[in-house]
Amino acid sequence: MAFVLDHLVHLSILVMLALSLNLINGFAGMFSLGHHGFFAVGAYAAAVVVFYGAQGSVPAGEAAVVAGSASSILWFVASLVVGIVAAGIFGFIVGVPCLRLRGDYLAIATLGFGEIVRILAQNTEAVGGARGMEVSYLLLERDVDTQNEYALLYAILVVALTAVTFVFIRNLIRSRHGRSLVSIREDEVAAELVGINLARAKLMAFVVGAAFAGLAGALYANYMTQIEPKEFNLIKGIYILLFVVLGGMGSLTGTIIAGFVLYVLDKIVLNLMPQEIQSLREVLFALILIILMISRPQGLLGHKELADTRFWQRLFRRQRGLKESS
Amino acid sequence: MSTAPAPSAGVPVLEMRGVTKRFGGLTAVEGFEARLGEHEVVGLIGPNGAGKTTVFNLITGVYELTAGAIAVRGRDTKGLRPDQITSLGVARTFQNIRLFRRMSVLENVQTAMDLRLGYGILASVLRTRRFREREREITEKSRALLDLVGLADDADERAGALAYGEQRRLEIARALATDPRLLILDEPAAGMNPQETDELGEMLHVIRKRHDLTLLLIEHDMKFVMRMCERIIVLDYGRIIATGTPAEVRANPAVIAAYLGDEE
Ligand SMILES: Nc1ncnc2c1ncn2[C@@H]1O[C@H](COP(=O)(O)OP(=O)(O)OP(=O)(O)O)[C@@H](O)[C@H]1O
Ligand SMILES: [Mg+2]
């Protein structure tokens, strides 16, 4: 049970991360390769809150934080909020120079950002340097007895917040903000000439995308006992980029489906393979990404959502016209 | 339809003085002058490469001026971004159609109404009443515009899937969605057969009346220009070589020479 829930937590966090990346890469059409950097900022910001806030505020004489206490839960919530805000600020900081960059240049600049975050974390003693940071459990005591309970609680929380992320981004896309972003992706000059403020729309995508990556990072940090700089490497970035590209740039449901498929392949099928193949895991990701970008750059669902596919409509005998008029 | 404040009498809708654009060593436009009053229909003609599209790009802020000044409804556009110039009441179509191809026909028009949708991110996410009301409003207006250009039945079609002539009409609907006072059209009849061109002419007349517009149009189809326009500006090698009524321009030796030169 705990095994399944543990995977669910990890998958949900990755899906949240990929959904927010899709806002930037898929809908806004800005090919960012540094999304794991925002994830790292969120994780580290949350870890700092837990370490210096929750643990730091434990009165002398008491051993450690009491997980599940009212103050611990408050610190937990605070760590999520700080993770979101910190990553959002970084989204703005990275977004501003990216306004002038296009295509490959934007990809390289964001890739550089991801590396800078990791290297900074590695060399900053206050956040543990290369050793990383310890993150105590705040929500619930986690030991042999409560292992299942903890996993269940956390899985519910993370899945619920991933659902919130999905609804948030979907609603944003189906509004003037989404139309602006997609129109920029389609034709930047025409978009600007029908009155779209390019800088504002692009920065919005970066800040919102980064903020949700920050939330994913904060949830991740709180779930792990320890975070290390080397986890937040480019491979992570490529992993979630695969979710987005395979599912379809501009399809949120596609991201979720692709995420599930890839995660199962990675964690279950790959684990059954001989060691030699397993050791090629990272090479395989990069390879799949390259093959996909060349052979089917629109991904599984293209820019459609699951409910817009013929498969789904046949399944539920739903007519396009009916949906429109409701 | 019009929500923009009425311009005070006497202020030209568009005024261009000494407008010059150089690309490195190439002078694409030099000393361009124009003054367009309300409801005027003015044609901009000239041989290929004369600088006509460049003039449009200067008006809409796609290019920065090398020298000179442009005012839209009395407001100097210097330093304004293209979207800000659009909000002053200028809209355009493109010589090479530039639609949002993977968006629906309706969404193409809705996108161009962004300027009048003031709601924020939270309103979008929470689907507030304000959001729903504003969206319903612009959807209705967008459908009315599609109706006007004869695309009402194609609202849910992908813009890129439309036929060529339909795409040109969608560009016009999208331009109108920004609620312009001045509509500038870059070769609207290009690639159309005589019948389609006639229909376009009629449509533009209706639109001009209904939307209270000043029109500036580039066109190579002389019959179309002569019939549509009250006044014509002729450009050759970036300079104005003639202006006047269609009859005057047609009889102007400099114009004939420029076009004959072009034919060779
Ligand atoms: N962005 C640019 N950079 C360099 N040169 C340019 C640029 N835009 C236009 N030009 C040059 O300016 C001149 C005028 O071009 P423009 O497109 O305005 O002509 P046009 O009158 O619209 O011609 P056509 O009838 O073929 O559309 C041409 O010589 C063109 O090559
Ligand atoms: Mg041209």
Side-chain angles (χ1 to χ4, degrees), chain A residues 297-314:
Chain A
Q298 75 274 35
L300 289 175
L301 295 189
H303 58 277
K304 285 183 183 164
E305 294 299 342
L306 184 61
D308 300 327
T309 57
R310 220 175 277 163
F311 163 75
W312 186 269
Q313 277 165 358
R314 196 170 297 160

Side-chain angles (χ1 to χ4, degrees), chain B residues 111-130:
Chain B
T111 304
M113 297 205 173
D114 198 69
L115 280 171
R116 37 179 132 164
L117 283 171
Y119 65 77
I121 291 178
L122 276 186
S124 298
V125 171
L126 301 175
R127 297 289 184 223
T128 59
R129 177 208 287 258
R130 179 172 152 83

Side-chain angles (χ1 to χ4, degrees), chain A residues 194-249:
Chain A
V194 298
I196 306 297
N197 183 332
L198 298 183
R200 197 172 58 190
K202 287 180 174 182
L203 275 179
M204 189 277 292
F206 256 106
V207 171
V208 172
F212 278 106
L215 174 62
L219 286 167
Y220 179 76
N222 275 290
Y223 187 69
M224 310 303 286
T225 35
Q226 179 88 20
I227 55 168
E228 288 172 50
K230 66 172 195 281
E231 296 174 77
F232 304 96
N233 56 14
L234 182 59
I235 294 298
K236 193 101 184 178
I238 289 179
Y239 196 49
I240 54 164
L241 187 60
L242 259 179
F243 287 22
V244 174
V245 175
L246 178 65
M249 309 258 264

Side-chain angles (χ1 to χ4, degrees), chain A residues 21 23-26 28-36 38 91-115 184 188 198-199 201-203 205-206 234 241 249:
Chain A
L21 178 63
L23 180 70
I24 300 172
N25 284 31
M30 300 183 285
F31 203 86
S32 163
L33 274 178
H35 213 55
H36 55 288
F38 300 125
F92 187 84
I93 294 170
V94 175
V96 169
C98 284
L99 291 176
R100 295 179 171 279
L101 302 177
R102 224 145 291 193
D104 307 347
Y105 295 99
L106 186 127
I108 289 165
T110 48
L111 185 143
F113 160 72
E115 285 303 286
I184 292 171
E188 195 163 306
L198 298 183
K202 287 180 174 182
L203 275 179
F206 256 106
L234 182 59
L241 187 60
M249 309 258 264

Side-chain angles (χ1 to χ4, degrees), chain B residues 52-54 95 186-187 218 220:
Chain B
K52 306 179 296 294
T53 298
T54 303
Q95 183 171 354
D186 199 343
E187 303 197 15
I218 296 173
H220 284 297

Side-chain angles (χ1 to χ4, degrees), chain B residues 81-92:
Chain B
R81 293 188 311 266
D83 59 294
Q84 293 173 317
I85 295 175
T86 300
S87 72
L88 291 178
V90 184
R92 74 178 280 187

